[in-house]
């Protein structure tokens, strides 16, 4: 429901969500004792967000000013998530005020700009944990978390496990 306001075909977003679900099914290991729903939700959300970002044209007919600003801010976050991003910087990327930035994220995505940034960073970090052998500290810094302890705290709050546990539980056995 948080992706309805983009004017994109619902069937296409469902298809992209299914791709994320298939990826989660492929990577999921039931013997590790964790809930599939939590794991799958990350991959579904990531697939739909990627589709929205790649498909949502700034010049699409019927796109509201708020949606255009949101797209500019989402593009900025996805291009700069490894760097320090503040709400004033995000607002400047869309040529709007901080208040409008907060209002746009809330009305279109039902989340705050800082939560969106954190989600993008966590999704990128989770992908790196699964697909690389980089250290947790390197991944934390590469994704804009600053310290590995802050990254670990954020990942634990979202998934219930530490970065090392996440990697051990979900990393493909053949890598």
């Amino acid at each position: 429901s948080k992706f309805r306001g983009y004017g994109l075909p619902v069937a296409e977003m469902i298809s992209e969500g299914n791709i994320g679900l298939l990826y989660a099914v492929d990577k999921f290991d039931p013997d590790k004792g964790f809930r599939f729903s939590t794991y799958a939700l990350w991959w579904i959300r990531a697939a739909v967000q990627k589709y929205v970002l790649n498909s949502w044209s700034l010049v699409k007919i019927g796109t509201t000013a708020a949606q255009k600003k949101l797209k500019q801010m989402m593009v900025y976050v996805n291009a700069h998530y490894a760097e320090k991003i503040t709400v004033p910087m995000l607002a400047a990327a869309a040529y709007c005020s901080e208040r409008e930035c907060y209002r746009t994220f809330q009305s279109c995505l039902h989340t705050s700009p800082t939560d969106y940034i954190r989600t993008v960073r966590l999704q990128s970090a989770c992908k790196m944990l699964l697909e690389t052998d980089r250290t947790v500290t390197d991944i934390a810094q590469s994704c804009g978390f600053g310290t590995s302890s802050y990254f670990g705290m954020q990942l634990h709050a979202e998934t219930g496990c530490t970065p090392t546990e996440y990697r051990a539980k979900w990393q493909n056995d053949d890598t």
Side-chain angles (χ1 to χ4, degrees), residues 21-48:
L21 179 61
L22 291 173
Y23 188 82
V25 167
D26 185 49
K27 292 280 189 182
F28 183 70
D29 185 353
D31 296 330
K32 295 185 178 178
F34 289 88
R35 292 178 35 196
F36 174 73
S37 60
T38 302
Y39 182 72
L41 182 61
W42 276 93
W43 291 108
I44 293 168
R45 190 180 297 153
V48 173

Side-chain angles (χ1 to χ4, degrees), residues 34-100:
F34 289 88
R35 292 178 35 196
F36 174 73
S37 60
T38 302
Y39 182 72
L41 182 61
W42 276 93
W43 291 108
I44 293 168
R45 190 180 297 153
V48 173
Q49 282 181 344
K50 182 178 178 186
Y51 169 73
V52 167
L53 193 59
N54 291 335
S55 302
W56 195 35
S57 171
L58 287 174
V59 296
K60 183 175 281 223
I61 295 173
T63 301
T64 66
Q67 290 171 333
K68 289 177 184 178
K69 289 182 186 310
L70 180 64
K71 168 78 181 215
Q72 291 169 323
M73 291 185 281
M74 290 172 68
V75 167
Y76 183 85
V77 169
N78 281 278
H80 299 279
Y81 68 86
E83 306 162 16
K84 178 179 173 140
I85 302 174
T86 63
V87 173
M89 293 166 67
L90 199 52
Y95 307 102
C96 66
S97 68
E98 292 177 46
R99 185 169 183 227
E100 189 175 357

